[in-house]
Structures are given as C-alpha cells and as structure tokens.
Amino acid sequence: MEARIPKVYTYADYLELSEDARVELVDGVIYDMGPAPSRVHQEIVIELATLMKNYLKSSNKSCKLYTAPFDVVLVEEGQDESKATNVVQPDISIICDKKKLTTERGCVGAPEMIIEVVSESNFSHDYIRKLNLYTQFKVKEYWIVNPNNQTILVYRLKDNEDYLPPEVYTFSDKVKVCIFEDLEIDFALIKEVL
C-alpha cells in the first residue's frame, strides 16, 4: 500500500478558496476558524481596536491597525509570497513598516504587534500553533486575551530571537504596549462594557 503524502497548501492555493471561507493556513495545513466569534469576543476586539486606533491618530504614529478579516502572509526571507505556507487572520494587527502593506488583501511579513481574542472553539490554535508561528516570524509583541477567565498573556520578543516568559494580567489591570513608549491599555474600562 502506498503512503499518501498530505498536500502542503500555499498562499496561491489560499487565494483560490471562496471569499466566505473562514480559514487560516499554518505550515501548509488549512485550519477552519469555526463559527462566527461570540458577541463578547467582538466587543473586546472593537474596544481594543478603538483605544489603539485613537492612540495612533493622536500621537501621529505612522503605524496602521487592522482587524480581522485581514490576511497576514508570513513569508520566509527571500520567499515569494505566493509560495508562503502561513496565512493568518489575527483579531488585531499593527503594522509599522509600510513596505509590508503591498497587497490590497493584507500584510506580507510579520506585524509589529498581534492580538488574538480566544474563542472556545480554537484555544490550542492561539495558545500553541500561533504562538509558535509568531515566535518563528518574530512578531515583536503578541497578546492572547481570554474572555472566559479574563486574563491577558503578553509575549514580548527578546533581542529579536525568542519570546520572554509571558506576563500575565487580568481584566482589572493596565497593560503596557511595549512597541510604543507611551501607550497603556486599561482593561478595567473594557471589562465595564462587557
């Protein structure tokens, strides 16, 4: 009996999927993102995005903020983006290098910061697969926000190599955004609207 070798999907394959397909591509494997996120998930994303967008505007930062659905194509050095085997749609992405915004569909390269709000249907996807992926592609700051236990895990890249051990916060804490010198998110304010 001949062993079957699973297909390794690329960004070119991903672009052939229907527009309503809610999937991500990690290491060439297609992962279904499941049903639409919960109301609480969406409220957290909206509140965080609003606070950060207001900061970017008021401080005249040249960084851009995007919310899902927004493709982040993670490419190896020198790799043509069509051959990339990692395409994710983070809940929130902040990109400060305009050269990464060369496509109308999203970002090619690692954002400076990614925030994922955990859904019950994909815990391991955010805590394991994406953590490993964002470490590999050197995302400077990665937050995992868990609405169920009201915690925030903050991973920060050390010396452009690996993440430091995560800092753990609750929805009663203020969390410093380290890619910016003067931004702090007060999760107590977010908790109030939930």
Side-chain angles (χ1 to χ4, degrees):
M1 182 180 272
E2 197 174 313
R4 294 184 86 191
I5 299 172
K7 177 174 173 54
V8 175
Y9 292 90
T10 65
Y11 186 45
D13 298 318
Y14 175 90
L15 291 174
E16 297 296 319
L17 300 172
S18 70
E19 280 209 20
D20 62 341
R22 293 192 67 242
V23 300
E24 292 182 310
L25 189 61
V26 178
D27 294 330
V29 177
I30 294 176
Y31 291 94
D32 184 5
M33 293 174 64
S38 71
R39 178 188 56 77
V40 170
H41 177 284
Q42 293 300 80
E43 287 178 3
I44 291 170
V45 170
I46 289 168
E47 290 298 319
L48 284 170
T50 301
L51 290 168
M52 293 179 152
K53 186 74 171 178
N54 288 341
Y55 167 80
L56 292 174
K57 279 184 179 178
S58 68
S59 63
N60 293 319
K61 300 284 185 202
S62 62
C63 301
K64 297 286 189 177
L65 181 145
Y66 297 94
T67 58
F70 177 78
D71 288 346
V72 172
V73 183
L74 298 168
V75 292
E76 304 284 343
E77 192 170 328
Q79 182 181 46
D80 179 85
E81 70 187 70
S82 68
K83 305 275 191 241
T85 58
N86 295 290
V87 184
V88 291
Q89 292 190 0
D91 290 312
I92 298 174
S93 302
I94 296 178
I95 299 102
C96 298
D97 182 351
K98 298 277 179 18
K99 291 180 283 189
K100 294 178 181 178
L101 297 172
T102 58
T103 174
E104 288 302 310
R105 290 184 62 108
C107 168
V108 177
E112 276 68 24
M113 182 177 187
I114 288 178
I115 299 175
E116 297 284 7
V117 179
V118 176
S119 296
E120 286 190 36
S121 62
N122 70 355
F123 270 50
S124 66
H125 198 56
D126 292 332
Y127 282 105
I128 299 168
R129 268 188 216 100
K130 285 187 173 180
L131 174 61
N132 290 332
L133 192 63
Y134 298 157
T135 302
Q136 176 187 346
F137 285 94
K138 311 296 185 218
V139 173
K140 291 178 184 171
E141 194 162 346
Y142 174 41
W143 291 14
I144 303 174
V145 179
N146 188 324
N148 292 337
N149 62 14
Q150 297 193 343
T151 59
I152 306 101
L153 291 180
V154 176
Y155 291 89
R156 294 188 174 104
L157 207 58
K158 180 185 179 195
D159 302 326
N160 208 30
E161 288 299 319
D162 289 318
Y163 284 127
L164 294 165
E167 297 170 25
V168 182
Y169 299 92
T170 71
F171 279 29
S172 299
D173 295 323
K174 292 180 179 175
V175 184
K176 171 87 173 83
V177 178
C178 284
I179 64 165
F180 303 121
E181 60 281 348
D182 57 350
L183 176 59
E184 190 173 68
I185 303 296
D186 187 348
F187 271 83
L189 298 176
I190 294 171
K191 186 177 180 178
E192 285 177 10
V193 301
L194 302 181

